[in-house]
Amino acid sequence: MIIAANFKTNLTRYQTREYFSALENFIHDNGICQEVLVFPSATSLYLHNGKAIMGVQNAYPAVNGAYTGEIGTEQLDEFAIKTILIGHSERRHVLGETQEFIAQKFEFYKNLGYKIVYCIGEPLHVRESGEVKMLDYLNAQLVGIDTKYKDLVIAYEPVWAIGTGLTPTLAEIETLHTILSLTCKTPILYGGSVKAENAKEILALNNVDGILVGSGALKVNDFCSMISDAEKLNK
Ligand code: 13P
């Protein structure tokens, strides 16, 4: 399975180094076979050598150039980063990225062979408008995305479950993942208020191939406990 941590705008460079060091010790000492991905903030990236894979939360679709405040692949290459999050709800809803721009970013990083963790998810009012409208909304977030890309991972993260402590029911998660798996033959992670306390039951669901964890992963011991849960399930 794929167990991923998105630090968002949390942890310093020093704290991130300490985190990776503890994480690598844990993976080594426990013979972990799961795929572990960690997305620190851009200022905390470094050339990491280990089993956990360091990815970037965002980057501009350019090698370099005049894109004030952004980073491109010239900066990512310095740290051998080849994994990126694209389409996260905070980039869509807080930072205003359009589907068109997200698809352009996807195409750029796909052409460079990056592993792409591509996020989709519906806001609460869409979920409340019924299953048909909800699926239409999620499908619209796949427009322009090559769902057959070999290094694609989908993360289903309902917007209303992110950082709120709320989650869909286990049955709802399983149903939605099963529907998505009919069209996307690629690993599908669940994200949104996953914590050490609920990770195991979510990971155990059919068609859940891993988790993408925000605040619940900020303490390395909690993240390691979720990795242990995945390892024990041995899916
Ligand atoms: P939380 O785990 O804090 O709800 O965030 C989920 C998320 O957005 C991961 O990308």
Side-chain angles (χ1 to χ4, degrees):
M1 278 189 279
I2 300 175
I3 312 301
N6 173 9
F7 290 177
K8 308 189 181 184
T9 316
N10 296 295
L11 305 189
T12 62
R13 198 168 172 74
Y14 175 76
Q15 289 168 325
T16 300
R17 287 257 187 181
E18 296 276 289
Y19 190 107
F20 268 89
S21 157
L23 179 60
E24 288 297 348
N25 285 341
F26 172 81
I27 291 173
H28 178 263
D29 294 350
N30 294 280
I32 298 294
C33 302
Q34 312 303 308
E35 191 172 337
V36 178
L37 309 179
V38 181
F39 298 89
S41 72
T43 59
S44 299
L45 299 176
Y46 65 93
L47 187 57
H48 176 69
N49 211 337
K51 287 239 161 107
I53 294 163
M54 185 182 283
V56 67
Q57 294 174 20
N58 176 53
Y60 203 76
V63 175
N64 56 27
Y67 307 104
T68 301
E70 296 284 336
I71 57 173
T73 54
E74 187 173 278
Q75 287 76 40
L76 298 177
D77 286 348
E78 194 175 11
F79 305 123
I81 304 282
K82 279 285 181 192
T83 304
I84 186 167
L85 273 183
I86 295 182
H88 192 279
S89 87
E90 285 144 18
R91 300 228 44 104
R92 292 177 190 269
H93 301 292
V94 182
L95 294 145
E97 288 190 5
T98 62
Q99 184 60 28
E100 197 184 3
F101 178 62
I102 289 168
Q104 189 190 325
K105 202 186 273 194
F106 183 95
E107 202 56 24
F108 180 85
Y109 282 96
K110 176 191 134 179
N111 288 334
L112 291 175
Y114 275 60
K115 179 185 276 274
I116 299 175
V117 179
Y118 184 76
C119 307
I120 60 173
E122 81 292 347
L124 191 56
H125 72 273
V126 173
R127 171 164 283 250
E128 286 171 343
S129 61
E131 193 178 279
V132 173
K133 289 215 169 113
M134 179 174 146
L135 292 177
D136 283 350
Y137 187 94
L138 295 175
N139 280 328
Q141 294 185 322
L142 293 169
V143 168
I145 303 303
D146 175 7
T147 54
K148 296 196 171 60
Y149 176 48
K150 68 173 177 41
D151 279 316
L152 168 66
V153 175
I154 302 252
Y156 169 59
E157 301 200 298
V159 180
W160 53 276
I162 295 179
T164 58
L166 302 171
T167 57
T169 64
L170 295 175
E172 284 168 341
I173 296 174
E174 190 167 73
T175 302
L176 203 280
H177 277 242
T178 303
I179 293 170
L180 287 173
S181 70
L182 299 175
T183 45
C184 303
K185 307 283 175 210
T186 197
I188 305 174
L189 316 185
Y190 170 77
S193 293
V194 181
K195 313 235 166 299
E197 295 73 33
N198 63 7
K200 195 170 183 178
E201 56 194 14
I202 293 171
L203 286 165
L205 297 171
N206 290 321
N207 297 310
V208 170
D209 304 303
I211 45 179
L212 175 57
V213 191
S215 51
L218 289 177
K219 292 201 177 94
V220 69
N221 287 347
D222 290 340
F223 189 51
C224 291
S225 141
M226 296 183 235
I227 296 170
S228 269
D229 288 338
E231 191 75 17
K232 283 187 206 125
L233 283 165
N234 197 21
K235 272 168 91 180

